[in-house]
Amino acid sequence: MNDFFFISSPLHLLMAANIAIQHPKHQQTAIIISKNRQSGARLRVTLERGPALFSNVVDLSAACLLRRSRSQMSRFQHLRKIFCEPMEARLFTGNDRRMEFQYAMHLVSAKNPRTKGIYLDEGAVTYIGHKSMHRLQHRWIDPFFKKLFYGRCYKPAVTTGSSAWISRIYAAFPDAVHPLLKQKEIVAIDPAPFRTETFKKLALSMLKDNREIEETLRGIKMVLTLPHEASYLKDLRRYRKMAKQLGRYMNPSQIAVKPHPRITNKMVLHELFPGMSLLEHRIGMEALLPLLDADCIVAGDISSTLLTARWLRPELNVVAITHKKALSAEMMHLYQDVLNIPVLAPDEVKTFFDQIHNRFF
């Protein structure tokens, strides 16, 4: 069996690793399709330095140097070379809306109708649906023009994972997936591979064997993950208050702050979170999780980072600190009832810490 993994983010890579670890006898190919050339290069280097999970690595992100139309044509040419022969294959993706995956499915299934397209859990979107799924542009206008341009290979996806190319879904919480995904075969993600030495070595390779980061995380009692800076720059007072509250329950040196990967102004974080360790923003939280102590808390605003922490390290305390009024009923249900992640308003932090007081004092 030939397994192909379309990878455009660190989370996709870790999900691909989970499947690859379970099927060591399959021919495994990682196809990097990051839209950002630098991000693609980091994923490639991770695979080169890490354990030999994949027999072949194809980096299509280099095509980003070309103009958008030429870039995609270049990627399609590479895919035609990869999938030129009939084969027994499974194609995995964390985003079935990407045309690289759809075009590959078109090529392979034309030669073998039994080819399986498989969606790997992408995070919150798997359970609450795509944020734009009810908009006219997303639901009708974009699909209309894509169908005209791409023809038969294009299959619309109202929400990620719902396109006709997908027949199976691997989900961390199968019973809670979005109704549009329940029409597919749902398989629970096996968490066992996340605890293997092979997986830990992969996570370490994502850090480029950075012993400084390992040293920073040693003794850390909380990792505070931040949303994109556009969110907290609008509400600096709220984050100053949060930092002050957290400092009442533990020494700031026991707290590490993980910025959003696309941060542009790091200096403001030193002002907002004095005395706290600032982690490298370009390293995904997924790579840091295996290195956290068992009594560490992962906290932050509502994001897929918290969801990932819940199923990569289920023994950790994970908590969302946000304004509840801003959340939809679906999001509240997902976090509190499905993921068992407490959702706290800033003024409820004290109660949470009182409950786990003995972990710190």
Side-chain angles (χ1 to χ4, degrees), residues 10 13-14 32 39-51 201-208 287:
L13 172 56
L14 296 184
I32 301 172
S39 298
R42 285 194 293 271
L43 290 170
R44 187 186 69 249
V45 169
T46 295
L47 289 171
E48 290 171 352
R49 294 168 61 92
K201 288 178 182 177
L202 177 63
L204 284 171
S205 72
M206 295 174 79
L207 300 178
K208 299 182 181 179

Side-chain angles (χ1 to χ4, degrees), residues 269-284:
L269 298 184
H270 292 289
E271 177 195 341
L272 287 175
F273 305 102
M276 300 181 189
S277 299
L278 190 61
L279 298 174
E280 170 58 53
H281 68 284
R282 288 169 296 188
I283 294 175

Side-chain angles (χ1 to χ4, degrees), residues 100-119:
E100 293 86 354
F101 166 77
Q102 294 214 6
Y103 186 61
M105 281 297 299
H106 169 71
L107 293 173
V108 182
S109 60
K111 298 180 176 70
N112 184 357
R114 296 192 302 273
T115 301
K116 281 192 176 295
I118 301 173
Y119 169 66

Side-chain angles (χ1 to χ4, degrees), residues 36-267:
N36 180 284
R37 186 169 176 261
Q38 288 72 32
S39 298
R42 285 194 293 271
L43 290 170
R44 187 186 69 249
V45 169
T46 295
L47 289 171
E48 290 171 352
R49 294 168 61 92
L53 282 171
F54 304 97
S55 52
N56 191 24
V57 177
V58 179
D59 184 5
L60 300 186
S61 59
C64 292
L65 289 171
L66 306 173
R67 285 185 309 174
R68 183 173 179 180
S69 58
R70 290 183 60 201
S71 169
Q72 191 163 74
M73 291 305 296
S74 175
R75 292 183 182 205
F76 282 10
Q77 287 174 0
H78 280 289
L79 292 172
R80 284 196 292 271
K81 293 177 183 177
I82 296 170
F83 300 109
C84 61
E85 299 292 337
M87 64 179 75
E88 292 286 332
R90 304 187 300 177
L91 277 63
F92 296 82
T93 183
N95 185 357
D96 61 323
R97 295 166 55 81
R98 289 291 297 267
M99 285 310 304
E100 293 86 354
F101 166 77
Q102 294 214 6
Y103 186 61
M105 281 297 299
H106 169 71
L107 293 173
V108 182
S109 60
K111 298 180 176 70
N112 184 357
R114 296 192 302 273
T115 301
K116 281 192 176 295
I118 301 173
Y119 169 66
L120 297 174
D121 199 333
E122 169 66 356
V125 68
T126 304
Y127 306 96
I128 62 174
H130 195 282
K131 61 183 179 180
S132 302
M133 64 184 294
H134 299 298
R135 294 179 185 172
L136 180 66
Q137 179 82 18
H138 174 93
R139 194 146 193 165
W140 302 107
I141 298 176
D142 284 348
F144 174 76
F145 285 106
K146 284 183 177 179
K147 191 69 177 177
L148 284 180
F149 187 80
Y150 294 110
R152 288 185 301 166
C153 72
Y154 173 70
K155 307 291 183 185
V158 175
T159 188
T160 312
S162 67
S163 77
W165 286 126
I166 298 296
S167 58
R168 178 182 297 171
I169 291 170
Y170 281 88
F173 307 97
D175 294 338
V177 300
H178 191 276
L180 288 174
L181 303 187
K182 290 185 176 179
Q183 303 169 24
K184 317 287 186 179
E185 177 190 2
I186 311 294
V187 179
I189 293 171
D190 183 356
F194 294 134
R195 297 189 288 269
T196 63
E197 285 303 313
T198 300
F199 190 84
K200 289 178 182 177
K201 288 178 182 177
L202 177 63
L204 284 171
S205 72
M206 295 174 79
L207 300 178
K208 299 182 181 179
D209 294 328
N210 194 322
R211 301 301 172 187
E212 185 178 323
I213 294 176
E214 290 186 76
E215 186 64 31
T216 299
L217 291 175
R218 192 169 291 119
I220 288 294
K221 299 297 184 183
M222 170 180 280
V223 175
L224 181 63
T225 68
L226 297 179
H228 190 273
E229 59 190 352
S231 299
Y232 57 77
L233 289 177
K234 293 178 184 176
D235 199 357
L236 292 177
R237 225 169 103 188
R238 174 192 164 199
Y239 283 87
R240 284 195 187 97
K241 182 179 179 181
M242 183 190 298
K244 190 174 180 180
Q245 285 178 316
L246 295 176
R248 292 174 182 169
Y249 299 99
M250 63 182 73
N251 192 301
S253 64
Q254 295 178 306
I255 302 174
V257 178
K258 174 63 176 69
H260 191 277
R262 293 194 299 276
I263 188 174
T264 60
N265 183 1
K266 284 187 181 180
M267 293 307 297

